[in-house]
Amino acid sequence: MIRFVVSPDNRVVPDLAGKLPGRGMWLSASRDVLDSARTRQAFARAAKAQVIVPDGLANLVEAALVQRMLDAVSLARRAGQTVCGFQKCREWLTSGRVGVVIRSESASSDEFSRLVSGRRSLPVVTVPDRVLESAFSRDRAVYAVMAPGALAQRLIAEHERFSGVAGRPLPDPTGVSKEQAEL
């Protein structure tokens, strides 16, 4: 769910942290829901007043959710709770120090299968490429792992909201296609 509030200048503002003052309007984290709420004047009815809904509200929310995922990974990196790179990730996986596996959208399914090598019970988060690249200040970053804890749970929650708002299918985090799973 995503909370929206009305600013003092009657604009609808996404409140992704859930801390802005005012009466909240909650919508499902889905691009279709956001687009239909805009066209059907749902925000005005919920606020019981005329409000200004920004053009491209779904794109604005999507970009903000990507930024929140980047912030979570960056904070975990600074706290020493995440590492990047195949070898370091593999070491953390074998030692059992992993709460969530992070992979970029351009990651190879075969390489990912080699990385997790049977540890399918771990939560996997697929993020846009720039999240890992920016968080680790690298030109190319494909995999990362994060220690269990509050930051890992925050990243998983933000990823669930992002997946709904993104409106495009993300790569299968298990690396196994539906056809391969049926065999």
Side-chain angles (χ1 to χ4, degrees), residues 121-144:
S121 61
L122 289 172
V124 178
V125 172
T126 305
V127 297
D129 295 343
R130 71 180 180 92
V131 170
L132 291 179
E133 292 166 359
S134 296
F136 290 96
S137 300
R138 294 188 179 181
D139 292 335
R140 178 122 166 92
V142 182
Y143 304 109

Side-chain angles (χ1 to χ4, degrees), residues 11-177:
R11 292 190 181 277
V12 173
V13 177
D15 181 18
L16 299 176
K19 296 184 180 201
L20 292 176
R23 181 176 175 209
M25 300 171 279
W26 292 88
L27 291 176
S28 293
S30 168
R31 183 170 287 274
D32 296 339
V33 171
L34 293 177
D35 290 339
S36 68
R38 185 180 190 287
T39 58
R40 291 187 1 218
Q41 303 295 320
F43 289 112
R45 282 196 308 275
K48 298 178 183 168
Q50 289 296 324
V51 295
I52 301 167
V53 181
D55 292 330
L57 180 65
N59 293 334
L60 176 73
V61 171
E62 181 179 345
L65 288 170
V66 168
Q67 184 61 46
R68 287 184 60 83
M69 288 190 297
L70 172 61
D71 293 345
V73 174
S74 296
L75 186 59
R77 184 189 59 78
R78 287 190 301 273
Q81 294 181 10
T82 189
V83 293
C84 178
F86 188 89
Q87 199 61 33
K88 289 180 183 177
C89 291
R90 188 84 176 118
E91 290 172 9
W92 276 40
L93 282 164
T94 55
S95 68
R97 297 174 32 187
V98 176
V100 63
V101 178
I102 309 164
R103 73 180 251 182
S104 68
E105 287 179 330
S106 65
S108 164
S109 296
D110 293 336
E111 195 73 15
F112 179 75
S113 295
R114 275 191 40 223
L115 176 70
V116 295
S117 67
R119 292 176 184 86
R120 303 248 183 232
S121 61
L122 289 172
V124 178
V125 172
T126 305
V127 297
D129 295 343
R130 71 180 180 92
V131 170
L132 291 179
E133 292 166 359
S134 296
F136 290 96
S137 300
R138 294 188 179 181
D139 292 335
R140 178 122 166 92
V142 182
Y143 304 109
V145 293
M146 189 180 292
L151 287 173
Q153 294 304 314
R154 174 181 164 188
L155 179 65
I156 292 169
E158 296 300 345
H159 177 261
E160 288 174 5
R161 295 197 300 176
F162 170 75
S163 295
V165 174
R168 62 183 186 272
L170 293 174
D172 181 19
T174 62
V176 178
S177 68

